[in-house]
Amino acid sequence: MSASIISGKQVSEQIRESIAKEVQILTEKGHRPGLAVVLVGEDPASQVYVRNKEKACHELGFYSEVHRLSPATSQEELLALVDKLNRQENIHGILVQLPLPKQINEKSVIDAIAPEKDVDGFHPVNVGNLMIGDDSLLPCTPAGVIELIKRTGVSIEGKHAVVIGRSNIVGKPVSLLLQRENATVTMCHSRTANMAEIARQGDILVVAIGRANMIDGSYVKPGAVVIDVGMNRLDNGKLAGDVDYESAKEFAGFITPVPGGVGPMTITMLMQNTLLASKRLNGLA
Ligand code: GUN
């Protein structure tokens, strides 16, 4: 048996279409949603990510500002820009691309973003609201993971979900979102004993450990939904997930490829967050 492929690219295109329609309607009413992206320095990967975010804004009709700052920017200068964007009425989402240069404390910058414009969902207020189940802006990759699971048609409620990885940006928030959907959640991490045995109990298996091809078919319950959040650049230049796709697909019921799985969903959820933030800031949601 071979698994059905969950195409993040296709799901992402469907969601983008409906976002674009809503943006057009809001724009006609004088409420065009706006995103500001801030890039400090010249990290090549960050430059690609920022260009892709700018492109998504243009394609979906958002107002967009990209602030490209010198690698020598001081923390005070960056905080002053964040403060200005917090108060700017045509900006509803603010994203400061990480990592930041050494002279800047990332936490101080994240804490300075107005929580209602924090479209990354990284501000402690949004993290806390996620924890207690209040309305918040959800971190983009975890929100994309839940969306992809839902699109399989497999119900999350009552299922055993196993999450491998406990990072603040993926593992922890994914496990909270799965609990919110009424899954029973087990978290595994680098020190977990008997990981394959535990993973094989998962009707849903979400993998975010950052180690190329580590999770093979011996970790997969027959028929499980397997979501691979990994993005590892191999020596040959190719991109690999954390899941050994060829081996895992023989056991899984549904599986995401890398590339073309979770990756395309992240920017789409960023755009969805910006749309939601704009509606809330305009009293429309
Ligand atoms: N750098 C890599 N991924 C991300 C992300 O999701 N948000 C931000 N702000 N920086 C990143």
Side-chain angles (χ1 to χ4, degrees):
M1 198 191 71
S2 197
S4 302
I5 297 171
I6 310 170
S7 168
K9 196 164 171 282
Q10 230 171 54
V11 172
S12 185
E13 278 163 14
Q14 287 166 10
I15 297 174
R16 283 182 188 213
E17 245 175 68
S18 74
I19 294 174
K21 282 189 190 138
E22 215 177 324
V23 168
Q24 193 187 346
I25 292 167
L26 287 171
T27 303
E28 284 163 4
K29 291 182 178 158
H31 295 300
R32 189 182 189 191
L35 174 68
V37 176
V38 182
L39 172 63
V40 186
E42 288 154 1
D43 178 72
S46 292
Q47 286 177 332
V48 174
Y49 292 139
V50 167
R51 261 203 306 278
N52 287 338
K53 287 163 188 170
E54 193 177 14
K55 190 163 153 260
C57 280
H58 287 301
E59 285 172 1
L60 303 186
F62 286 75
Y63 171 70
S64 127
E65 280 184 9
V66 178
H67 297 263
R68 290 183 169 82
L69 308 183
S70 118
T73 302
S74 70
Q75 179 158 318
E76 289 64 35
E77 286 170 304
L78 180 55
L79 289 175
L81 174 59
V82 168
D83 184 50
K84 176 170 164 281
L85 295 169
N86 280 341
R87 289 187 276 140
Q88 204 170 309
E89 285 198 358
N90 60 346
I91 291 298
H92 309 95
I94 302 170
L95 182 142
V96 179
Q97 187 67 29
L98 305 177
L100 290 166
K102 308 188 279 304
Q103 73 276 16
I104 299 176
N105 179 276
E106 282 186 358
K107 183 170 165 49
S108 308
V109 176
I110 291 169
D111 288 358
I113 297 172
E116 58 278 12
K117 295 191 178 184
D118 165 40
V119 284
D120 260 327
F122 290 169
H123 191 285
V125 164
N126 283 317
V127 176
N129 280 335
L130 168 60
M131 180 80 195
I132 60 179
D134 275 0
D135 279 348
S136 63
L137 289 166
L138 299 178
C140 302
T141 301
V145 167
I146 299 297
E147 196 63 46
L148 288 179
I149 297 170
K150 288 185 172 171
R151 298 279 168 143
T152 63
V154 173
S155 146
I156 299 175
E157 179 159 331
K159 297 288 162 52
H160 188 176
V162 175
V163 178
I164 304 184
R166 56 176 160 181
S167 70
N168 287 332
I169 56 170
V170 184
K172 284 183 204 169
V174 161
S175 73
L176 290 169
L177 289 172
L178 286 163
Q179 285 186 65
R180 189 191 271 192
E181 299 289 336
N182 298 315
T184 301
V185 181
T186 300
M187 290 187 79
C188 299
H189 48 75
S190 54
R191 312 289 172 87
T192 297
N194 305 322
M195 196 194 288
E197 199 179 302
I198 296 168
R200 267 203 309 276
Q201 296 171 23
D203 305 302
I204 297 166
L205 181 63
V206 179
V207 187
I209 35 172
R211 287 184 56 184
N213 299 319
M214 186 186 141
I215 303 300
D216 65 14
S218 70
Y219 289 71
V220 178
K221 179 176 176 173
V225 177
V226 178
I227 307 288
D228 185 356
V229 189
M231 275 233 244
N232 307 286
R233 188 67 66 181
L234 302 177
D235 291 339
N236 65 10
K238 286 203 172 143
L239 207 57
D242 293 345
V243 174
D244 177 347
Y245 182 84
E246 289 304 320
S247 164
K249 82 176 192 332
E250 297 304 319
F251 296 85
F254 297 88
I255 189 166
T256 58
V258 176
V262 174
M265 292 296 287
T266 299
I267 293 186
T268 298
M269 300 322 274
L270 171 70
M271 304 319 294
Q272 183 153 292
N273 267 350
T274 305
L275 174 61
L276 176 61
S278 81
K279 290 198 289 187
R280 286 183 180 157
L281 286 161
N282 285 307
L284 303 169

